[in-house]
Amino acid sequence: MGKENWDAQNWSDGGSNQEPKRWQELLAGYVLGDLSSEEMEQVQQYLVQHPEAQTEVEELRATLNLLPLSLPEDEGPPETVRSRLRQSAAATVSEPDAAAKSSPLSPVSSP
């Protein structure tokens, strides 16, 4: 049975009376791990009753796995930020007590 036939004949059957769009949303949420426990159980039962729906899950997972490849490479912080970080690190190494006193993360001393 081809994918088109499976979609037309099976998305809304299975005794759950779910409309096709809802099942697509549930399967996408299943792959993303973004379902409530009740929805997760519902999808798992549907997949047991309709093993052919596993193809859709596999296709969604394959697409999800490709998403990171479509993102631009991380270039890191701009050079000005890197320069300030290096200067701050150098100051901390050369004068650890002075750097700690001027650090915004230093604990506040009580009077």
Side-chain angles (χ1 to χ4, degrees):
M1 173 183 320
K3 185 177 183 305
E4 298 81 23
N5 291 338
W6 184 87
D7 285 343
Q9 295 174 4
N10 295 294
W11 273 117
S12 60
D13 72 357
S16 62
N17 296 323
Q18 294 289 339
E19 53 191 72
K21 185 173 182 165
R22 177 70 177 144
W23 275 113
Q24 290 171 339
E25 291 171 359
L26 285 171
L27 290 179
Y30 178 77
V31 169
L32 292 170
D34 190 36
L35 297 179
S36 68
S37 57
E38 181 181 311
E39 291 170 323
M40 184 74 77
E41 186 177 318
Q42 185 180 15
V43 171
Q44 289 170 342
Q45 288 175 0
Y46 187 83
L47 291 172
V48 167
Q49 294 170 359
H50 301 90
E52 62 276 11
Q54 190 64 38
T55 302
E56 181 75 13
V57 170
E58 291 167 7
E59 290 173 0
L60 289 168
R61 281 192 179 126
T63 301
L64 180 62
N65 290 333
L66 292 174
L67 285 178
L69 300 176
S70 67
L71 299 173
E73 287 191 33
D74 184 16
E75 296 175 10
E79 185 56 41
T80 55
V81 173
R82 283 185 267 193
S83 176
R84 282 191 240 150
L85 286 171
R86 283 190 214 108
Q87 289 172 353
S88 177
T92 302
V93 170
S94 63
E95 301 177 35
D97 291 336
K101 288 178 186 173
S102 66
S103 171
L105 299 176
S106 298
V108 177
S109 58
S110 55

